[in-house]
Amino acid sequence: IARKVIANIIALKMPFISALHADVIGLGTSIVVMSDIIVAAKTAHLCDPHVAVGLVAGDGGCLAWPLAMGLQRAKRYLLTGEKISAEMAYNAGLVTDLVETADEVLPAAQKIAAKIARLAPIAVQGTKQALNSIVQREAAGVFELSLLLEKISARSNDAAEGARAIMEHRKPVYRGE
């Protein structure tokens, strides 16, 4: 599913704007971060908790986060599975526009969409296509590898332990198996 979702986002001709009212986790975070423009409320958080449940961040996190915020900062959050506030994400470059409240998110996103809609479609779409060639180049390597590694990690004892720990409301005990 993740491969198709991310590939479809990359192939979109029209700008893709996310309006983040509340917290987003996992694949949802990858979808948001793959957006062209991200408007978020200060109260929202983003999180890719794959490693916290014994999985490789293979559904787009290893592709999208470093492109948006740089490799070192992306490693900080992808290797810990910790959430990042929208305000911190904005300061790091992961979120493009920040508003105070959830009620302001959609109007702000619509205002940006309206501004883009008034511009020359060929210019907007061509610019988006050129920028997405960077994403496509990176996707050919890191995304395919991360998907493969996620599939392998999903069959590990650590992933099974992560799932059991969630269901049993306890901290997992990983053994590297």
Side-chain angles (χ1 to χ4, degrees):
I1 294 174
R3 177 181 284 111
K4 191 170 194 164
V5 168
I6 300 301
N8 285 337
I9 291 171
I10 294 169
L12 282 173
K13 291 185 178 184
M14 302 303 290
F16 178 33
I17 301 173
S18 286
L20 187 57
H21 298 90
D23 295 356
V24 63
I25 296 175
L27 178 57
T29 302
S30 294
I31 291 168
V32 167
V33 177
M34 290 295 298
S35 303
D36 299 307
I37 297 167
I38 304 161
V39 180
K42 281 187 176 180
T43 54
H45 293 84
L46 298 94
C47 182
D48 189 329
H50 278 76
V51 296
V53 295
L55 297 171
V56 170
D59 65 7
C62 287
L63 171 64
W65 287 59
L67 286 173
M69 68 189 315
L71 183 59
Q72 289 307 115
R73 286 192 177 176
K75 284 180 181 181
R76 168 65 177 84
Y77 293 98
L78 294 175
L79 292 175
T80 63
E82 292 177 6
K83 66 182 178 178
I84 181 172
S85 71
E87 190 164 10
M88 288 177 66
Y90 173 77
N91 291 329
L94 196 63
V95 166
T96 61
D97 295 79
L98 191 65
V99 297
E100 289 293 323
T101 68
D103 290 338
E104 297 173 77
V105 173
L106 190 55
Q110 290 171 328
K111 184 176 179 181
I112 295 167
K115 182 175 186 171
I116 293 170
R118 290 189 297 272
L119 299 172
I122 292 172
V124 170
Q125 291 175 16
T127 300
K128 180 175 164 64
Q129 182 181 1
L131 291 169
N132 274 355
S133 71
I134 297 167
V135 180
Q136 289 168 333
R137 184 183 66 231
E138 294 299 317
V142 70
F143 184 53
E144 292 303 321
L145 176 60
S146 67
L147 283 172
L148 172 66
L149 293 172
E150 182 179 26
K151 185 183 284 187
I152 292 168
S153 69
R155 294 188 299 251
S156 72
N157 290 333
D158 281 347
E161 167 62 10
R164 278 192 304 275
I166 289 169
M167 292 171 46
E168 296 169 3
H169 305 286
R170 62 174 174 80
K171 290 189 183 260
V173 178
Y174 296 122
R175 303 193 192 298
E177 325 174 320

